[in-house]
Amino acid sequence: MRLKKYGSWLIALVIIGTVFGLKTRTPDTQMPASNPAPVTGPAVILFRGDNSPSCRVIHRLVDEAEQHYGNRISFHQLDWSPDNPLIERYQVRFLPTVVLIDQNGTEVGRIIGESSAVQARLKDTLARLDLLQAQ
C-alpha cells in the first residue's frame, strides 16, 4: 500500500538523479586536466580568461597567426582552470597570457595583458614567429 503511495515519487527521483548524473559526468573522450598533452615547440600558448572585447582582440590576433603559421608552429588556446597543470608549469598569474616556446621546448617570450599597447606588441611578435623555429 505504501509503495503505491510513494511509487511515483520514487520513479521521479530516480529519473531526476539519472539525468543529473549524466549531465555532470565527464565524457570518456576528454583528457583529464591533470594529464594534459605535452606542449612541444615551437608553439604559441594562449591562456585566456573572459570574453571581454579587448580579450577577443588578443584571441583574434592569435587566430590570425595560427592561420599563417599553423602548419609550422603549434598553437594552443587554453581556458583558465585551477586544475590545469600548464597554468602552474608556466606560472600564469594574469590573463590573457601568451607564452612563446622555441623548438627545444624552452620559453622564449611572454606577453601579458590586453591593453592596446600589449595588442600592438603581440601583433608585432606574432608577425615574426619564424624566429621560434630558428632558435
mmCIF file of all heavy atoms in Angstrom, residues 39-89:
data_model
loop_
_atom_site.group_PDB
_atom_site.id
_atom_site.type_symbol
_atom_site.label_atom_id
_atom_site.label_comp_id
_atom_site.label_asym_id
_atom_site.label_seq_id
_atom_site.Cartn_x
_atom_site.Cartn_y
_atom_site.Cartn_z
ATOM 1 N N VAL A 39 53.195 20.077 -24.386
ATOM 2 C CA VAL A 39 53.365 21.107 -25.404
ATOM 3 C C VAL A 39 54.805 21.046 -25.865
ATOM 4 O O VAL A 39 55.726 21.186 -25.062
ATOM 5 C CB VAL A 39 53.030 22.503 -24.838
ATOM 6 C CG1 VAL A 39 53.317 23.573 -25.866
ATOM 7 C CG2 VAL A 39 51.583 22.554 -24.388
ATOM 8 N N THR A 40 54.979 20.789 -27.144
ATOM 9 C CA THR A 40 56.320 20.766 -27.711
ATOM 10 C C THR A 40 56.462 21.958 -28.639
ATOM 11 O O THR A 40 55.482 22.448 -29.196
ATOM 12 C CB THR A 40 56.572 19.459 -28.477
ATOM 13 O OG1 THR A 40 55.589 19.322 -29.498
ATOM 14 C CG2 THR A 40 56.507 18.264 -27.544
ATOM 15 N N GLY A 41 57.673 22.404 -28.805
ATOM 16 C CA GLY A 41 57.915 23.603 -29.584
ATOM 17 C C GLY A 41 58.207 23.314 -31.030
ATOM 18 O O GLY A 41 58.428 22.180 -31.390
ATOM 19 N N PRO A 42 58.204 24.294 -31.834
ATOM 20 C CA PRO A 42 57.812 25.660 -31.493
ATOM 21 C C PRO A 42 56.301 25.748 -31.293
ATOM 22 O O PRO A 42 55.549 25.058 -31.960
ATOM 23 C CB PRO A 42 58.278 26.471 -32.681
ATOM 24 C CG PRO A 42 58.339 25.516 -33.821
ATOM 25 C CD PRO A 42 58.638 24.175 -33.233
ATOM 26 N N ALA A 43 55.912 26.592 -30.349
ATOM 27 C CA ALA A 43 54.498 26.694 -30.014
ATOM 28 C C ALA A 43 54.151 28.075 -29.472
ATOM 29 O O ALA A 43 55.010 28.774 -28.940
ATOM 30 C CB ALA A 43 54.126 25.642 -28.973
ATOM 31 N N VAL A 44 52.890 28.407 -29.621
ATOM 32 C CA VAL A 44 52.306 29.602 -29.032
ATOM 33 C C VAL A 44 51.158 29.113 -28.166
ATOM 34 O O VAL A 44 50.272 28.399 -28.638
ATOM 35 C CB VAL A 44 51.787 30.574 -30.113
ATOM 36 C CG1 VAL A 44 51.050 31.747 -29.481
ATOM 37 C CG2 VAL A 44 52.923 31.060 -30.993
ATOM 38 N N ILE A 45 51.187 29.475 -26.883
ATOM 39 C CA ILE A 45 50.134 29.070 -25.961
ATOM 40 C C ILE A 45 49.425 30.318 -25.462
ATOM 41 O O ILE A 45 50.061 31.213 -24.907
ATOM 42 C CB ILE A 45 50.696 28.309 -24.745
ATOM 43 C CG1 ILE A 45 51.592 27.169 -25.179
ATOM 44 C CG2 ILE A 45 49.557 27.796 -23.870
ATOM 45 C CD1 ILE A 45 52.387 26.556 -24.031
ATOM 46 N N LEU A 46 48.127 30.383 -25.682
ATOM 47 C CA LEU A 46 47.319 31.479 -25.177
ATOM 48 C C LEU A 46 46.510 30.956 -23.997
ATOM 49 O O LEU A 46 45.704 30.046 -24.142
ATOM 50 C CB LEU A 46 46.366 32.014 -26.250
ATOM 51 C CG LEU A 46 45.269 32.969 -25.776
ATOM 52 C CD1 LEU A 46 45.845 34.215 -25.117
ATOM 53 C CD2 LEU A 46 44.345 33.330 -26.913
ATOM 54 N N PHE A 47 46.769 31.507 -22.816
ATOM 55 C CA PHE A 47 45.957 31.229 -21.637
ATOM 56 C C PHE A 47 44.938 32.354 -21.584
ATOM 57 O O PHE A 47 45.302 33.509 -21.418
ATOM 58 C CB PHE A 47 46.818 31.225 -20.370
ATOM 59 C CG PHE A 47 47.814 30.114 -20.338
ATOM 60 C CD1 PHE A 47 49.114 30.315 -20.777
ATOM 61 C CD2 PHE A 47 47.463 28.853 -19.870
ATOM 62 C CE1 PHE A 47 50.041 29.291 -20.739
ATOM 63 C CE2 PHE A 47 48.385 27.822 -19.827
ATOM 64 C CZ PHE A 47 49.680 28.037 -20.269
ATOM 65 N N ARG A 48 43.687 32.013 -21.752
ATOM 66 C CA ARG A 48 42.667 33.048 -21.887
ATOM 67 C C ARG A 48 41.693 33.030 -20.722
ATOM 68 O O ARG A 48 41.546 32.031 -20.038
ATOM 69 C CB ARG A 48 41.935 32.903 -23.208
ATOM 70 C CG ARG A 48 41.325 31.549 -23.425
ATOM 71 C CD ARG A 48 40.838 31.384 -24.827
ATOM 72 N NE ARG A 48 40.242 30.056 -24.953
ATOM 73 C CZ ARG A 48 39.914 29.522 -26.073
ATOM 74 N NH1 ARG A 48 40.113 30.186 -27.192
ATOM 75 N NH2 ARG A 48 39.377 28.324 -26.117
ATOM 76 N N GLY A 49 41.049 34.177 -20.548
ATOM 77 C CA GLY A 49 40.109 34.312 -19.453
ATOM 78 C C GLY A 49 38.735 34.651 -19.966
ATOM 79 O O GLY A 49 38.136 33.886 -20.707
ATOM 80 N N ASP A 50 38.278 35.834 -19.629
ATOM 81 C CA ASP A 50 36.931 36.225 -20.014
ATOM 82 C C ASP A 50 36.840 36.510 -21.508
ATOM 83 O O ASP A 50 37.814 36.380 -22.234
ATOM 84 C CB ASP A 50 36.479 37.433 -19.199
ATOM 85 C CG ASP A 50 37.308 38.676 -19.488
ATOM 86 O OD1 ASP A 50 38.145 38.655 -20.402
ATOM 87 O OD2 ASP A 50 37.115 39.679 -18.784
ATOM 88 N N ASN A 51 35.686 36.898 -21.920
ATOM 89 C CA ASN A 51 35.469 37.166 -23.334
ATOM 90 C C ASN A 51 35.179 38.651 -23.548
ATOM 91 O O ASN A 51 34.319 39.015 -24.325
ATOM 92 C CB ASN A 51 34.310 36.293 -23.840
ATOM 93 C CG ASN A 51 34.377 36.087 -25.330
ATOM 94 O OD1 ASN A 51 35.412 36.301 -25.942
ATOM 95 N ND2 ASN A 51 33.271 35.683 -25.914
ATOM 96 N N SER A 52 35.939 39.497 -22.843
ATOM 97 C CA SER A 52 35.758 40.944 -22.981
ATOM 98 C C SER A 52 36.205 41.370 -24.381
ATOM 99 O O SER A 52 36.937 40.648 -25.057
ATOM 100 C CB SER A 52 36.578 41.671 -21.918
ATOM 101 O OG SER A 52 37.961 41.470 -22.159
ATOM 102 N N PRO A 53 35.800 42.547 -24.837
ATOM 103 C CA PRO A 53 36.181 42.997 -26.173
ATOM 104 C C PRO A 53 37.698 43.019 -26.391
ATOM 105 O O PRO A 53 38.183 42.608 -27.445
ATOM 106 C CB PRO A 53 35.593 44.411 -26.262
ATOM 107 C CG PRO A 53 34.432 44.383 -25.324
ATOM 108 C CD PRO A 53 34.854 43.468 -24.204
ATOM 109 N N SER A 54 38.455 43.477 -25.397
ATOM 110 C CA SER A 54 39.910 43.527 -25.593
ATOM 111 C C SER A 54 40.518 42.126 -25.584
ATOM 112 O O SER A 54 41.489 41.862 -26.285
ATOM 113 C CB SER A 54 40.566 44.421 -24.547
ATOM 114 O OG SER A 54 40.133 44.068 -23.264
ATOM 115 N N CYS A 55 39.948 41.199 -24.809
ATOM 116 C CA CYS A 55 40.429 39.811 -24.848
ATOM 117 C C CYS A 55 40.126 39.179 -26.200
ATOM 118 O O CYS A 55 40.912 38.395 -26.715
ATOM 119 C CB CYS A 55 39.798 38.975 -23.740
ATOM 120 S SG CYS A 55 40.699 39.071 -22.192
ATOM 121 N N ARG A 56 38.970 39.522 -26.769
ATOM 122 C CA ARG A 56 38.635 38.987 -28.091
ATOM 123 C C ARG A 56 39.638 39.439 -29.141
ATOM 124 O O ARG A 56 39.943 38.709 -30.077
ATOM 125 C CB ARG A 56 37.210 39.374 -28.473
ATOM 126 C CG ARG A 56 36.168 38.541 -27.757
ATOM 127 C CD ARG A 56 34.794 38.681 -28.388
ATOM 128 N NE ARG A 56 34.302 40.050 -28.405
ATOM 129 C CZ ARG A 56 33.485 40.585 -27.501
ATOM 130 N NH1 ARG A 56 33.055 39.853 -26.503
ATOM 131 N NH2 ARG A 56 33.080 41.827 -27.602
ATOM 132 N N VAL A 57 40.184 40.646 -28.980
ATOM 133 C CA VAL A 57 41.223 41.126 -29.911
ATOM 134 C C VAL A 57 42.459 40.233 -29.798
ATOM 135 O O VAL A 57 43.040 39.837 -30.814
ATOM 136 C CB VAL A 57 41.581 42.605 -29.634
ATOM 137 C CG1 VAL A 57 42.787 43.037 -30.442
ATOM 138 C CG2 VAL A 57 40.389 43.501 -29.931
ATOM 139 N N ILE A 58 42.853 39.894 -28.578
ATOM 140 C CA ILE A 58 44.005 39.011 -28.365
ATOM 141 C C ILE A 58 43.734 37.657 -29.018
ATOM 142 O O ILE A 58 44.591 37.112 -29.729
ATOM 143 C CB ILE A 58 44.304 38.842 -26.856
ATOM 144 C CG1 ILE A 58 44.610 40.182 -26.189
ATOM 145 C CG2 ILE A 58 45.412 37.824 -26.630
ATOM 146 C CD1 ILE A 58 45.866 40.873 -26.644
ATOM 147 N N HIS A 59 42.548 37.108 -28.803
ATOM 148 C CA HIS A 59 42.188 35.814 -29.405
ATOM 149 C C HIS A 59 42.271 35.894 -30.921
ATOM 150 O O HIS A 59 42.792 34.990 -31.576
ATOM 151 C CB HIS A 59 40.779 35.397 -29.008
ATOM 152 C CG HIS A 59 40.567 35.227 -27.540
ATOM 153 N ND1 HIS A 59 39.341 34.986 -27.002
ATOM 154 C CD2 HIS A 59 41.411 35.280 -26.489
ATOM 155 C CE1 HIS A 59 39.429 34.883 -25.693
ATOM 156 N NE2 HIS A 59 40.681 35.078 -25.355
ATOM 157 N N ARG A 60 41.735 36.995 -31.492
ATOM 158 C CA ARG A 60 41.743 37.156 -32.951
ATOM 159 C C ARG A 60 43.167 37.232 -33.494
ATOM 160 O O ARG A 60 43.483 36.616 -34.522
ATOM 161 C CB ARG A 60 40.948 38.399 -33.350
ATOM 162 C CG ARG A 60 40.730 38.470 -34.865
ATOM 163 C CD ARG A 60 40.062 39.751 -35.310
ATOM 164 N NE ARG A 60 41.082 40.796 -35.356
ATOM 165 C CZ ARG A 60 41.092 41.889 -34.603
ATOM 166 N NH1 ARG A 60 40.129 42.138 -33.764
ATOM 167 N NH2 ARG A 60 42.062 42.780 -34.697
ATOM 168 N N LEU A 61 44.054 37.953 -32.799
ATOM 169 C CA LEU A 61 45.447 38.045 -33.249
ATOM 170 C C LEU A 61 46.119 36.669 -33.258
ATOM 171 O O LEU A 61 46.840 36.327 -34.195
ATOM 172 C CB LEU A 61 46.231 39.012 -32.349
ATOM 173 C CG LEU A 61 45.870 40.494 -32.470
ATOM 174 C CD1 LEU A 61 46.576 41.298 -31.393
ATOM 175 C CD2 LEU A 61 46.196 41.012 -33.853
ATOM 176 N N VAL A 62 45.860 35.876 -32.224
ATOM 177 C CA VAL A 62 46.439 34.529 -32.165
ATOM 178 C C VAL A 62 45.825 33.647 -33.247
ATOM 179 O O VAL A 62 46.530 32.881 -33.905
ATOM 180 C CB VAL A 62 46.274 33.915 -30.759
ATOM 181 C CG1 VAL A 62 46.703 32.455 -30.731
ATOM 182 C CG2 VAL A 62 47.078 34.718 -29.735
ATOM 183 N N ASP A 63 44.522 33.777 -33.478
ATOM 184 C CA ASP A 63 43.866 33.007 -34.535
ATOM 185 C C ASP A 63 44.453 33.345 -35.907
ATOM 186 O O ASP A 63 44.685 32.454 -36.732
ATOM 187 C CB ASP A 63 42.361 33.266 -34.554
ATOM 188 C CG ASP A 63 41.626 32.609 -33.405
ATOM 189 O OD1 ASP A 63 42.172 31.651 -32.806
ATOM 190 O OD2 ASP A 63 40.500 33.055 -33.095
ATOM 191 N N GLU A 64 44.686 34.630 -36.158
ATOM 192 C CA GLU A 64 45.267 35.055 -37.437
ATOM 193 C C GLU A 64 46.677 34.490 -37.612
ATOM 194 O O GLU A 64 47.043 34.029 -38.690
ATOM 195 C CB GLU A 64 45.295 36.577 -37.536
ATOM 196 C CG GLU A 64 43.925 37.199 -37.711
ATOM 197 C CD GLU A 64 43.933 38.715 -37.605
ATOM 198 O OE1 GLU A 64 45.019 39.318 -37.419
ATOM 199 O OE2 GLU A 64 42.839 39.305 -37.689
ATOM 200 N N ALA A 65 47.459 34.509 -36.547
ATOM 201 C CA ALA A 65 48.811 33.946 -36.616
ATOM 202 C C ALA A 65 48.742 32.444 -36.871
ATOM 203 O O ALA A 65 49.555 31.899 -37.627
ATOM 204 C CB ALA A 65 49.587 34.247 -35.336
ATOM 205 N N GLU A 66 47.780 31.786 -36.263
ATOM 206 C CA GLU A 66 47.645 30.344 -36.471
ATOM 207 C C GLU A 66 47.303 30.029 -37.925
ATOM 208 O O GLU A 66 47.804 29.051 -38.485
ATOM 209 C CB GLU A 66 46.574 29.773 -35.545
ATOM 210 C CG GLU A 66 46.433 28.267 -35.656
ATOM 211 C CD GLU A 66 45.489 27.681 -34.633
ATOM 212 O OE1 GLU A 66 44.770 28.427 -33.953
ATOM 213 O OE2 GLU A 66 45.485 26.448 -34.514
ATOM 214 N N GLN A 67 46.473 30.859 -38.544
ATOM 215 C CA GLN A 67 46.152 30.647 -39.958
ATOM 216 C C GLN A 67 47.400 30.769 -40.820
ATOM 217 O O GLN A 67 47.560 30.050 -41.804
ATOM 218 C CB GLN A 67 45.088 31.639 -40.417
ATOM 219 C CG GLN A 67 43.726 31.372 -39.832
ATOM 220 C CD GLN A 67 42.729 32.450 -40.199
ATOM 221 O OE1 GLN A 67 43.019 33.376 -40.964
ATOM 222 N NE2 GLN A 67 41.526 32.360 -39.646
ATOM 223 N N HIS A 68 48.294 31.664 -40.455
ATOM 224 C CA HIS A 68 49.503 31.898 -41.239
ATOM 225 C C HIS A 68 50.603 30.881 -40.942
ATOM 226 O O HIS A 68 51.285 30.400 -41.836
ATOM 227 C CB HIS A 68 50.001 33.320 -40.975
ATOM 228 C CG HIS A 68 51.102 33.756 -41.904
ATOM 229 N ND1 HIS A 68 52.352 33.204 -41.893
ATOM 230 C CD2 HIS A 68 51.122 34.701 -42.869
ATOM 231 C CE1 HIS A 68 53.106 33.779 -42.806
ATOM 232 N NE2 HIS A 68 52.387 34.689 -43.415
ATOM 233 N N TYR A 69 50.809 30.559 -39.667
ATOM 234 C CA TYR A 69 51.929 29.719 -39.243
ATOM 235 C C TYR A 69 51.525 28.323 -38.764
ATOM 236 O O TYR A 69 52.384 27.538 -38.365
ATOM 237 C CB TYR A 69 52.687 30.391 -38.084
ATOM 238 C CG TYR A 69 53.360 31.672 -38.443
ATOM 239 C CD1 TYR A 69 52.791 32.898 -38.112
ATOM 240 C CD2 TYR A 69 54.584 31.677 -39.109
ATOM 241 C CE1 TYR A 69 53.422 34.091 -38.433
ATOM 242 C CE2 TYR A 69 55.211 32.861 -39.432
ATOM 243 C CZ TYR A 69 54.625 34.061 -39.094
ATOM 244 O OH TYR A 69 55.248 35.236 -39.415
ATOM 245 N N GLY A 70 50.238 28.020 -38.767
ATOM 246 C CA GLY A 70 49.737 26.781 -38.180
ATOM 247 C C GLY A 70 50.343 25.505 -38.720
ATOM 248 O O GLY A 70 50.359 24.490 -38.037
ATOM 249 N N ASN A 71 50.874 25.531 -39.930
ATOM 250 C CA ASN A 71 51.490 24.325 -40.484
ATOM 251 C C ASN A 71 52.925 24.126 -40.002
ATOM 252 O O ASN A 71 53.492 23.058 -40.202
ATOM 253 C CB ASN A 71 51.443 24.359 -42.015
ATOM 254 C CG ASN A 71 52.172 25.559 -42.594
ATOM 255 O OD1 ASN A 71 52.421 26.542 -41.907
ATOM 256 N ND2 ASN A 71 52.501 25.482 -43.864
ATOM 257 N N ARG A 72 53.501 25.126 -39.334
ATOM 258 C CA ARG A 72 54.887 25.025 -38.863
ATOM 259 C C ARG A 72 55.045 25.179 -37.360
ATOM 260 O O ARG A 72 56.041 24.744 -36.786
ATOM 261 C CB ARG A 72 55.751 26.103 -39.546
ATOM 262 C CG ARG A 72 55.837 25.936 -41.055
ATOM 263 C CD ARG A 72 56.571 27.079 -41.671
ATOM 264 N NE ARG A 72 55.640 28.216 -41.719
ATOM 265 C CZ ARG A 72 55.984 29.444 -41.997
ATOM 266 N NH1 ARG A 72 57.229 29.735 -42.231
ATOM 267 N NH2 ARG A 72 55.096 30.390 -42.040
ATOM 268 N N ILE A 73 54.073 25.824 -36.734
ATOM 269 C CA ILE A 73 54.131 26.108 -35.298
ATOM 270 C C ILE A 73 52.804 25.657 -34.692
ATOM 271 O O ILE A 73 51.745 25.912 -35.258
ATOM 272 C CB ILE A 73 54.350 27.616 -35.052
ATOM 273 C CG1 ILE A 73 55.703 28.043 -35.637
ATOM 274 C CG2 ILE A 73 54.258 27.960 -33.579
ATOM 275 C CD1 ILE A 73 55.928 29.531 -35.642
ATOM 276 N N SER A 74 52.864 24.993 -33.534
ATOM 277 C CA SER A 74 51.608 24.566 -32.904
ATOM 278 C C SER A 74 51.043 25.696 -32.057
ATOM 279 O O SER A 74 51.782 26.463 -31.443
ATOM 280 C CB SER A 74 51.818 23.300 -32.073
ATOM 281 O OG SER A 74 52.656 23.539 -30.978
ATOM 282 N N PHE A 75 49.734 25.779 -32.066
ATOM 283 C CA PHE A 75 49.016 26.806 -31.316
ATOM 284 C C PHE A 75 48.084 26.118 -30.335
ATOM 285 O O PHE A 75 47.422 25.135 -30.678
ATOM 286 C CB PHE A 75 48.198 27.697 -32.257
ATOM 287 C CG PHE A 75 49.041 28.667 -33.033
ATOM 288 C CD1 PHE A 75 49.759 28.252 -34.142
ATOM 289 C CD2 PHE A 75 49.125 29.990 -32.652
ATOM 290 C CE1 PHE A 75 50.546 29.136 -34.859
ATOM 291 C CE2 PHE A 75 49.904 30.886 -33.361
ATOM 292 C CZ PHE A 75 50.618 30.459 -34.462
ATOM 293 N N HIS A 76 48.044 26.636 -29.115
ATOM 294 C CA HIS A 76 47.183 26.089 -28.068
ATOM 295 C C HIS A 76 46.473 27.253 -27.394
ATOM 296 O O HIS A 76 47.129 28.186 -26.937
ATOM 297 C CB HIS A 76 48.004 25.329 -27.028
ATOM 298 C CG HIS A 76 48.901 24.296 -27.617
ATOM 299 N ND1 HIS A 76 48.489 23.016 -27.870
ATOM 300 C CD2 HIS A 76 50.183 24.376 -28.054
ATOM 301 C CE1 HIS A 76 49.491 22.339 -28.417
ATOM 302 N NE2 HIS A 76 50.518 23.143 -28.540
ATOM 303 N N GLN A 77 45.151 27.197 -27.356
ATOM 304 C CA GLN A 77 44.374 28.203 -26.645
ATOM 305 C C GLN A 77 43.663 27.497 -25.503
ATOM 306 O O GLN A 77 42.824 26.636 -25.731
ATOM 307 C CB GLN A 77 43.378 28.878 -27.584
ATOM 308 C CG GLN A 77 44.086 29.697 -28.661
ATOM 309 C CD GLN A 77 43.146 30.619 -29.396
ATOM 310 O OE1 GLN A 77 42.191 31.137 -28.821
ATOM 311 N NE2 GLN A 77 43.417 30.844 -30.662
ATOM 312 N N LEU A 78 44.036 27.851 -24.290
ATOM 313 C CA LEU A 78 43.539 27.163 -23.102
ATOM 314 C C LEU A 78 42.760 28.113 -22.211
ATOM 315 O O LEU A 78 43.248 29.196 -21.871
ATOM 316 C CB LEU A 78 44.712 26.582 -22.307
ATOM 317 C CG LEU A 78 45.669 25.685 -23.099
ATOM 318 C CD1 LEU A 78 46.898 25.378 -22.266
ATOM 319 C CD2 LEU A 78 44.974 24.416 -23.516
ATOM 320 N N ASP A 79 41.561 27.713 -21.834
ATOM 321 C CA ASP A 79 40.799 28.479 -20.861
ATOM 322 C C ASP A 79 41.422 28.263 -19.491
ATOM 323 O O ASP A 79 41.931 27.180 -19.195
ATOM 324 C CB ASP A 79 39.340 28.025 -20.844
ATOM 325 C CG ASP A 79 38.617 28.406 -22.118
ATOM 326 O OD1 ASP A 79 38.909 29.471 -22.688
ATOM 327 O OD2 ASP A 79 37.756 27.630 -22.533
ATOM 328 N N TRP A 80 41.351 29.285 -18.658
ATOM 329 C CA TRP A 80 41.912 29.170 -17.323
ATOM 330 C C TRP A 80 41.137 28.131 -16.538
ATOM 331 O O TRP A 80 39.916 28.079 -16.574
ATOM 332 C CB TRP A 80 41.855 30.510 -16.598
ATOM 333 C CG TRP A 80 42.554 30.438 -15.289
ATOM 334 C CD1 TRP A 80 43.872 30.679 -15.066
ATOM 335 C CD2 TRP A 80 41.997 30.062 -14.028
ATOM 336 N NE1 TRP A 80 44.163 30.484 -13.749
ATOM 337 C CE2 TRP A 80 43.032 30.093 -13.079
ATOM 338 C CE3 TRP A 80 40.744 29.694 -13.621
ATOM 339 C CZ2 TRP A 80 42.847 29.789 -11.753
ATOM 340 C CZ3 TRP A 80 40.543 29.376 -12.289
ATOM 341 C CH2 TRP A 80 41.595 29.432 -11.373
ATOM 342 N N SER A 81 41.863 27.287 -15.837
ATOM 343 C CA SER A 81 41.262 26.274 -14.975
ATOM 344 C C SER A 81 42.208 26.048 -13.811
ATOM 345 O O SER A 81 43.406 25.883 -14.009
ATOM 346 C CB SER A 81 41.076 24.975 -15.759
ATOM 347 O OG SER A 81 40.700 23.936 -14.896
ATOM 348 N N PRO A 82 41.693 26.017 -12.579
ATOM 349 C CA PRO A 82 42.576 25.861 -11.422
ATOM 350 C C PRO A 82 43.290 24.514 -11.379
ATOM 351 O O PRO A 82 44.316 24.390 -10.738
ATOM 352 C CB PRO A 82 41.642 26.024 -10.222
ATOM 353 C CG PRO A 82 40.282 25.726 -10.743
ATOM 354 C CD PRO A 82 40.292 26.127 -12.196
ATOM 355 N N ASP A 83 42.764 23.521 -12.102
ATOM 356 C CA ASP A 83 43.404 22.209 -12.070
ATOM 357 C C ASP A 83 44.219 21.920 -13.333
ATOM 358 O O ASP A 83 44.618 20.787 -13.562
ATOM 359 C CB ASP A 83 42.368 21.110 -11.828
ATOM 360 C CG ASP A 83 41.276 21.081 -12.879
ATOM 361 O OD1 ASP A 83 41.150 22.054 -13.641
ATOM 362 O OD2 ASP A 83 40.542 20.083 -12.934
ATOM 363 N N ASN A 84 44.496 22.937 -14.130
ATOM 364 C CA ASN A 84 45.316 22.750 -15.324
ATOM 365 C C ASN A 84 46.789 22.890 -14.944
ATOM 366 O O ASN A 84 47.237 23.968 -14.550
ATOM 367 C CB ASN A 84 44.942 23.791 -16.386
ATOM 368 C CG ASN A 84 45.694 23.603 -17.681
ATOM 369 O OD1 ASN A 84 46.750 22.973 -17.732
ATOM 370 N ND2 ASN A 84 45.151 24.151 -18.743
ATOM 371 N N PRO A 85 47.572 21.815 -15.045
ATOM 372 C CA PRO A 85 48.970 21.887 -14.622
ATOM 373 C C PRO A 85 49.822 22.816 -15.484
ATOM 374 O O PRO A 85 50.876 23.257 -15.034
ATOM 375 C CB PRO A 85 49.458 20.443 -14.712
ATOM 376 C CG PRO A 85 48.507 19.756 -15.591
ATOM 377 C CD PRO A 85 47.201 20.475 -15.493
ATOM 378 N N LEU A 86 49.387 23.135 -16.693
ATOM 379 C CA LEU A 86 50.157 24.075 -17.509
ATOM 380 C C LEU A 86 50.120 25.476 -16.928
ATOM 381 O O LEU A 86 51.065 26.250 -17.103
ATOM 382 C CB LEU A 86 49.645 24.074 -18.950
ATOM 383 C CG LEU A 86 49.895 22.790 -19.732
ATOM 384 C CD1 LEU A 86 49.296 22.889 -21.121
ATOM 385 C CD2 LEU A 86 51.378 22.461 -19.799
ATOM 386 N N ILE A 87 49.051 25.807 -16.211
ATOM 387 C CA ILE A 87 48.970 27.112 -15.524
ATOM 388 C C ILE A 87 50.112 27.214 -14.527
ATOM 389 O O ILE A 87 50.804 28.229 -14.432
ATOM 390 C CB ILE A 87 47.610 27.280 -14.811
ATOM 391 C CG1 ILE A 87 46.455 27.255 -15.809
ATOM 392 C CG2 ILE A 87 47.593 28.502 -13.921
ATOM 393 C CD1 ILE A 87 46.216 28.506 -16.569
ATOM 394 N N GLU A 88 50.329 26.146 -13.767
ATOM 395 C CA GLU A 88 51.407 26.135 -12.774
ATOM 396 C C GLU A 88 52.769 26.019 -13.448
ATOM 397 O O GLU A 88 53.716 26.698 -13.069
ATOM 398 C CB GLU A 88 51.210 24.978 -11.798
ATOM 399 C CG GLU A 88 52.198 25.016 -10.651
ATOM 400 C CD GLU A 88 51.904 23.950 -9.617
ATOM 401 O OE1 GLU A 88 50.729 23.622 -9.401
ATOM 402 O OE2 GLU A 88 52.878 23.467 -9.018
ATOM 403 N N ARG A 89 52.873 25.167 -14.448
ATOM 404 C CA ARG A 89 54.157 24.960 -15.126
ATOM 405 C C ARG A 89 54.710 26.266 -15.687
ATOM 406 O O ARG A 89 55.896 26.554 -15.570
ATOM 407 C CB ARG A 89 53.993 23.945 -16.253
ATOM 408 C CG ARG A 89 55.243 23.740 -17.057
ATOM 409 C CD ARG A 89 55.058 22.717 -18.133
ATOM 410 N NE ARG A 89 56.228 22.645 -18.971
ATOM 411 C CZ ARG A 89 56.263 21.999 -20.100
ATOM 412 N NH1 ARG A 89 55.209 21.341 -20.528
ATOM 413 N NH2 ARG A 89 57.356 21.998 -20.824
#
